[in-house]
Every structure is written in C-alpha cells, then in structure tokens.
Amino acid sequence: ENSSKKFLREVYAIQFAHHQFIHLLASTVSSEGKKGLNCTMLRITVFRLPSKALRVGPLRPGASIIVPPIREFSALPTNEDTSPTVGDRIINITFVDHTGHRATFPSRWGAGRSLFDAAFDAGVDLGPSPSPGLPYYNYRSETWREPVFGEGAGSGIDHVLLPGKWYSLVEEEGFPKSEGENDALQQYWDDEDLTESSRLASQIILTPNMEGINVFIPDGVAHDCF
C-alpha cells in the first residue's frame, strides 16, 4: 500500500509540472502578441510528454521533464508557397473549322490529357473516342519485325491540321508523328485529305507551352466511317 501511494504522489508531481509548463508557455505566447492560443489547444496540439519522461521513481532536486521541440503552426500563406493553382494548369486552344469559324476554349492540361480530350470538353466533334492502339511494328533486324499492341493511335478518325509553328512545337514537346499514327491516318483517310500538317488529336498531349495553339478541323468524314 505504501508503494502504491508513493507511486501516485510521483505521478501527481509530474502532472503538476506538466500543467505549470503549459500555463508558462501560454503566458509567454500571449505576451509575444500571438493570439488565438489557449491552454487546451496547447495541451492537445503542441505539447506532448514522451513516454520516457514518465519515470517511476522520485524526482531528484534539479531534475527536469523531457520536452520535445515545439512547432509553430500558421494558416497564413507564405512567400515560399509555390504550389500550382488551377489557373496555372489552364491553356487556351483555338479551333478553326473548314468555313473559317473560330472559337477559343480554355482547357486543363496535365495528367495525360490530350487535344482530343480538350475538343470533347469544348463540344468540338472529332469523332468517337479512340479505341486502344492499333498494332505497329518495331524493326529489330532486316528479317524480324516485332508487333506491338495496345500503344499509339487507336483509330485515324480524330484528324486535325496544325499550322507550321504549332506542328513544330508539338514535336519539340516530345510528341512527334509516329509510324503508327501515320499508318492510322492513311488507313482512315484518302490521300487528298492528308497534308504534311495532319495529326491525330488523341496523340497530342497538352502541355503549358501549347498556350494559344490553333487547331484546324478539316472538312469531310473518314471513309472508314461509312
């Protein structure tokens, strides 16, 4: 029984020191003009006694309680905050049809969004959503070509034309016309419908450098759609 009472007195002594520290900290914070803090919040979010501080045994004179470093929290924005905003991920795309009618739409880039996705969101009809990629071939040697499935263009319906500088920019951004894309265009369209600036919208992934890109939508329907 004496041991139990002795243990309880030691626990009460630690708790008393704990509360004294909390009140001291609260008064210090208040004196520095940092409002909005109280003892309850400090006790819950800032101050925590580590388990090794709860020693079983008498507190020797001059002994101290182990206290972890205190972190300050603030809801105010800092100058170092460089997180992208919604506006940082928006570019403007101008679609021009075969009659010369122009319409500019904002579109979100990132997460693999393509020019086809931007046209679909804007209500610009480029045909049905492309299917998984058509097979194309990697030429490993003069006598062996390896078929690759599920990558690249899924169809050649989403045909668009890019003016010179935009065609070059798309290639510089890492999306040149592949052999599979060229085969898909030739499979779905007649030769007179295709030009050097012909691309498939589904194969162009949007980037921030494509701000202001002009996209021409040719007249006619792919012969494979009939």
Side-chain angles (χ1 to χ4, degrees):
E1 182 179 357
N2 292 334
S3 298
S4 298
K5 291 182 178 180
K6 183 177 180 181
F7 175 74
L8 289 175
R9 284 197 300 270
E10 293 169 353
V11 171
Y12 292 152
I14 293 176
Q15 290 179 342
F16 177 76
H18 173 203
H19 289 291
Q20 288 292 100
F21 176 80
I22 290 297
H23 285 287
L24 177 62
L25 180 62
S27 61
T28 302
V29 171
S30 177
S31 65
E32 293 179 358
K34 299 180 179 180
K35 300 180 180 180
L37 296 176
N38 54 46
C39 292
T40 302
M41 187 173 73
L42 289 171
R43 186 179 301 112
I44 295 174
T45 62
V46 177
F47 181 81
R48 184 182 298 276
L49 273 174
S51 58
K52 63 181 180 180
L54 298 177
R55 301 188 182 93
V56 177
L59 292 176
R60 299 185 303 275
S64 61
I65 298 176
I66 303 173
V67 180
I70 298 174
R71 297 174 57 190
E72 292 186 2
F73 299 90
S74 174
L76 298 177
T78 62
N79 295 332
E80 293 78 15
D81 186 7
T82 58
S83 302
T85 63
V86 175
D88 296 332
R89 292 191 174 273
I90 297 295
I91 60 174
N92 293 297
I93 302 175
T94 299
F95 293 96
V96 185
D97 66 13
H98 67 283
T99 66
H101 178 72
R102 306 169 65 90
T104 301
F105 301 94
S107 180
R108 177 171 50 86
W109 62 270
R113 280 177 52 82
S114 68
L115 183 58
F116 182 91
D117 298 324
F120 181 84
D121 293 343
V124 178
D125 185 13
L126 295 180
S129 178
S131 58
L134 297 173
Y136 67 95
Y137 298 92
N138 285 329
Y139 293 88
R140 302 301 185 184
S141 69
E142 295 181 357
T143 58
W144 175 43
R145 63 177 188 174
E146 177 188 10
V148 180
F149 299 89
E151 300 180 11
S155 71
I157 298 178
D158 49 312
H159 177 210
V160 296
L161 301 174
L162 300 181
K165 72 171 186 177
W166 296 115
Y167 188 96
S168 301
L169 175 65
V170 168
E171 289 191 329
E172 292 171 1
E173 290 294 296
F175 307 105
K177 184 192 295 184
S178 66
E179 180 182 350
E181 181 179 350
N182 192 59
D183 291 343
L185 284 166
Q186 294 178 353
Q187 178 180 344
Y188 277 75
W189 295 86
D190 295 323
D191 292 341
E192 58 266 23
D193 296 322
L194 300 176
T195 70
E196 293 182 355
S197 60
S198 293
R199 291 297 307 265
L200 293 177
S202 60
Q203 302 305 298
I204 300 173
I205 305 302
L206 300 178
T207 68
N209 291 332
M210 295 181 189
E211 162 65 30
I213 186 172
N214 290 340
V215 181
F216 289 88
I217 305 172
D219 188 19
V221 181
H223 60 70
D224 192 77
C225 294
F226 292 104

